Amino acid sequence: MNGFFNKLLKIDLEQKSSEDTALSDDLLSRTLGGKGLGVELLLEHNPVGVDPLSPENRLIFNTGPVAATSIWGSCRYGVFTKSPQTGFFSESYSGGTVAEFMAKTGYDAFMLENASDEPVWIEIGENGAVFHSAKAIWGKDTYSTEDHIKAWIKENRPESSKCGVVVIGPAGENLVAFSVIENDHWRCAGRTGVGAVMGSKKVKAIAFLGQKKKSTAFPEKVKAFAKDMVSNLKDHPGVAAYKNLGTPMMVDSMNAMGCFPTRYWSKGRAEHRESINAEALHSRCKVVPHACKKCMMACGRLSTVKEGRHKGLQIEGPEYETIYAFGGLCEVENIEDIVYLNDVCDRLGMDTITGGNLAALTIEAVLRNKIDYDIGYGEVDKIAAVLEDIAFRRGIGETLARGIKFASKQWGLEEIAIHVKGMEPAGYDPRVLKGMGLSYATSPRGACHLRTTFYKPEVTKMIDPDQIEGKAKMLVEWEDRLIIFDTLILCRFYRDFYPWEQLASMIESVTGLELDKEKMREIASGVSDATRKFNLREGLSQEDDRLPKRFLFEALPESGKTISEKQMETLLSEYYSERGWDSEGKI
């Protein structure tokens, strides 16, 4: 089928072998690849109730049909497994350059099965997988691991020289429940603990290389589509905003609305906003816009600290979510220290959102006399020490490494712990943005902001943030369109530029499939149902679609707002109805 190679590479880590498996046109046209393909493979191959860290849990990497084409926003890959953080469906995506190299191998998906008896790194090319010992790099941080693999490929595979590499850090090796898979130093498949699954299989890194080229149905139409996008968007104010300010621009807007989570979700505004916002980043660091391959926006901030004890430290970031997690929840008061904490997490290979949430929970545990530990709000070095302890499972790090459900129960803090399904929300307080409450509650991977990005229509007043009745209908349509994004694996920041009509044109030019909005929504609904089926068979109940009690009963001091039980019941009931599920959320 155009846009695909119709090939899955199964990699048996126990036997150190790999084999090609055909992917049918029917399967690919029904799922469109990406998330759709990932969940179908998990339903078929994962044992019901499997332990996420057992050898039987599959770890799947794949690309969408638009990867390695000229489509803007297309250089992304997905990772699919059962999450060690939540026990439910895991999906995580990353940009950078790796998807391009994945596609050059001539495979659409890569499925890791079983586990190695010793640390390995895997080289994947057009003829399958080659296994190498990783004993010499086991224990290294993510940056040095990636550099080591790329240098080895350059020296030993001169015909390819360049490659895409995904790696884990010490957090993944030590099975931290929220560890990440990184690439291009700073890009991450960042949530749900996919790094721990890779670590459980004793895989330190995977390199992708090859020269294969996929066919598209209408190559000239693909080129014209991409050319038209440049011409239409080069002067677009939304593109300019991302290029000039990146996601840190959200700090000011969320503070203005009173929904910037602060002091572990007890406030909606940070008094130190001006020292952690986009202006602070751009004035106190040298910032260069940095783009993934096939992107015109360059939302990434290649930031180098100008002065102070972190002078010279360079990262790509921090993104808004990292600023909220450390600058808001932990009340770290300056952007340079947030850059530093971002770097600590990246080197260790752990999710900054969960890292910041757990550091703040630890501070609350100390203030409430639940644990004897030395840490307080804004204490940067002590927060960094907690992150290190988590990665190496030292002291209280052993408790925190298992995730918020375990830690809050151990410390008697379940009533204040903020999470859905074991994953913490992003930086949009649902007491103000009610649609985000529904998004957090119903996202299959936990409290996720990206499955619907419904903060966008609420912040821009496309719909009143306080509206309840009828909101689920709009949210489901947004979610359906973004499920199509995840099957194609497109960047979320192109959501304003790829409405249904553009998606239809893109899909036809790449794959040859003629799909109208109704047909695309049928595919999206099918993917949503398949994901729900996976979670239901893993023990999901209606209770797992609930928000933390604090959102329902503890008002934000700035606005007095909550999201009430009745409001959530209405939102959930309407959502289930829109999805065609029964009153308990079952299919």
Side-chain angles (χ1 to χ4, degrees):
M1 180 175 170
N2 287 308
F4 297 96
F5 297 102
N6 290 81
K7 287 171 65 177
L8 161 71
L9 183 67
K10 289 184 178 181
I11 302 168
D12 188 324
L13 291 158
E14 183 179 24
Q15 299 299 320
K16 307 292 189 298
S17 64
S18 64
E19 65 172 333
D20 295 3
T21 300
L23 298 172
S24 69
D25 282 354
D26 175 68
L27 173 63
L28 295 173
S29 62
R30 179 164 47 85
T31 64
L32 294 181
K35 177 178 180 174
L37 177 59
V39 69
E40 290 287 346
L41 291 173
L42 287 175
L43 284 168
E44 179 181 355
H45 295 283
N46 251 27
V48 177
V50 68
D51 182 333
L53 298 177
S54 72
E56 292 75 28
N57 186 24
R58 270 62 175 180
L59 180 65
I60 299 164
F61 294 81
N62 67 19
T63 58
V66 297
T69 71
S70 55
I71 299 294
W72 296 102
S74 64
C75 195
R76 297 182 66 79
Y77 68 90
V79 188
F80 307 92
T81 188
K82 181 179 177 181
S83 169
Q85 185 175 11
T86 69
F88 297 121
F89 177 71
S90 168
E91 57 184 310
S92 199
Y93 305 89
S94 181
T97 65
V98 168
E100 193 91 355
F101 292 102
M102 283 184 174
K104 288 182 178 181
T105 66
Y107 297 96
D108 302 302
F110 314 86
M111 183 163 68
L112 276 60
E113 303 176 320
N114 300 318
S116 175
D117 58 355
E118 61 181 10
V120 296
W121 69 271
I122 307 170
E123 174 189 353
I124 298 179
E126 297 170 27
N127 297 313
V130 178
F131 297 82
H132 304 272
S133 173
K135 288 181 180 178
I137 54 175
W138 197 255
K140 288 185 178 292
D141 71 20
T142 57
Y143 302 166
S144 58
T145 299
E146 182 179 345
D147 292 346
H148 175 92
I149 300 298
K150 286 185 173 179
W152 190 96
I153 292 293
K154 186 175 182 179
E155 179 179 352
N156 294 278
R157 300 290 184 263
E159 70 282 3
S160 296
S161 70
K162 291 186 178 180
C163 62
V165 179
V166 300
V167 305
I168 61 170
E173 295 174 5
N174 294 317
L175 312 184
V176 172
F178 51 95
S179 50
V180 307
I181 295 172
E182 287 191 28
N183 59 274
D184 297 290
H185 278 203
W186 304 292
R187 291 288 171 171
C188 303
R191 306 219 71 191
T192 71
V194 291
V197 178
M198 191 160 151
S200 74
K201 297 184 178 301
K202 289 286 195 297
V203 177
K204 180 64 172 172
I206 308 173
F208 300 91
L209 60 160
Q211 301 298 328
K212 290 285 188 180
K213 294 183 179 180
K214 65 171 64 173
S215 63
T216 56
F218 302 104
E220 293 306 314
K221 285 186 178 181
V222 175
K223 290 179 183 178
F225 183 91
K227 185 177 180 181
D228 287 346
M229 289 302 295
V230 172
S231 141
N232 294 334
L233 297 179
K234 62 181 180 180
D235 298 319
H236 193 284
V239 172
Y242 276 116
K243 186 172 288 187
N244 294 331
L245 297 173
T247 61
M249 63 183 167
M250 298 297 293
V251 173
D252 286 343
S253 56
M254 292 303 98
N255 261 278
M257 292 189 71
C259 59
F260 182 73
T262 303
R263 201 173 181 86
Y264 197 59
W265 298 94
S266 65
K267 300 194 298 181
R269 290 194 177 98
E271 294 176 4
H272 58 291
R273 168 188 63 81
E274 292 183 352
S275 64
I276 62 172
N277 62 7
E279 184 179 348
L281 176 66
H282 287 76
S283 63
R284 292 154 66 168
C285 295
K286 178 183 177 182
V287 180
V288 178
H290 200 230
C292 297
K293 200 172 183 69
K294 306 290 174 62
C295 182
M296 68 183 80
M297 283 196 226
C299 73
R301 310 288 87 187
L302 192 60
S303 305
T304 306
V305 178
K306 292 180 181 178
E307 302 292 342
R309 68 189 187 117
H310 306 306
K311 183 177 180 179
L313 176 61
Q314 183 181 79
I315 67 166
E316 184 179 328
E319 300 289 343
Y320 168 72
E321 302 302 344
T322 302
I323 296 173
Y324 121 78
F326 291 115
L329 297 185
C330 298
E331 294 193 324
V332 171
E333 293 189 349
N334 67 74
I335 198 69
E336 295 93 337
D337 281 331
I338 296 172
V339 169
Y340 165 63
L341 293 171
N342 196 154
D343 183 65
V344 170
C345 287
D346 283 350
R347 288 180 184 276
L348 295 171
M350 69 170 64
D351 174 27
T352 59
I353 298 178
T354 293
N357 270 270
L358 287 180
L361 181 71
T362 302
I363 295 166
E364 282 295 315
V366 170
L367 293 175
R368 295 165 188 257
N369 297 314
K370 297 292 186 179
I371 60 172
D372 182 14
Y373 192 75
D374 182 15
I375 192 172
Y377 281 109
E379 296 185 329
V380 178
D381 290 335
K382 293 175 182 178
I383 293 168
V386 167
L387 298 172
E388 293 269 358
D389 285 344
I390 291 170
F392 294 100
R393 303 185 80 119
R394 299 183 299 232
I396 65 166
E398 172 61 33
T399 298
L400 292 166
R402 301 189 187 193
I404 192 167
K405 284 195 291 187
F406 181 85
S408 62
K409 185 175 182 179
Q410 286 291 108
W411 294 346
L413 293 175
E414 290 176 287
E415 289 298 308
I416 73 158
I418 300 296
H419 68 89
V420 176
K421 302 178 179 71
M423 195 170 86
E424 301 85 354
Y428 309 90
D429 198 303
R431 287 168 285 193
V432 173
L433 302 174
K434 303 296 196 291
M436 286 307 297
L438 180 59
S439 294
Y440 293 149
T442 57
S443 166
R445 72 171 188 171
C448 175
H449 64 299
L450 289 172
R451 307 283 58 80
T452 68
T453 68
F454 207 70
Y455 57 86
K456 177 64 189 292
E458 292 192 306
V459 168
T460 58
K461 300 299 174 69
M462 293 170 62
I463 191 168
D464 189 326
D466 287 320
Q467 178 180 329
I468 299 298
E469 293 186 2
K471 179 163 283 187
K473 183 178 180 62
M474 181 179 182
L475 184 141
V476 167
E477 180 169 342
W478 271 71
E479 185 176 38
D480 279 352
R481 185 165 62 94
L482 293 178
I483 286 174
I484 297 299
F485 267 55
D486 288 340
T487 62
L488 305 174
I489 312 192
L490 289 165
C491 175
R492 279 292 186 271
F493 294 156
Y494 283 79
R495 70 187 162 221
D496 295 338
F497 312 129
Y498 292 152
W500 291 108
E501 296 78 11
Q502 291 285 70
L503 289 174
S505 177
M506 181 193 305
I507 291 168
E508 182 180 6
S509 64
V510 172
T511 70
L513 295 172
E514 296 183 14
L515 305 175
D516 57 15
K517 177 180 176 179
E518 182 179 359
K519 182 58 180 175
M520 284 187 282
R521 291 200 70 181
E522 286 178 14
I523 292 172
S525 180
V527 173
S528 176
D529 285 353
T531 308
R532 188 73 172 185
K533 286 175 184 175
F534 181 90
N535 278 348
L536 288 169
R537 81 176 199 179
E538 299 305 316
L540 181 84
S541 72
Q542 190 177 20
E543 287 305 307
D544 294 302
D545 290 342
R546 305 288 183 187
L547 291 180
K549 290 181 180 179
R550 286 179 65 196
F551 289 155
L552 309 178
F553 301 112
E554 181 183 316
L556 284 167
E558 297 89 352
S559 62
K561 287 188 174 184
T562 63
I563 180 168
S564 71
E565 285 185 288
K566 183 178 179 181
Q567 288 173 327
M568 275 306 301
E569 288 301 325
T570 299
L571 287 166
L572 273 175
S573 177
E574 290 189 3
Y575 179 86
Y576 291 162
S577 177
E578 289 291 331
R579 281 277 168 233
W581 303 342
D582 70 16
S583 60
E584 295 182 346
K586 295 179 181 178
I587 298 173

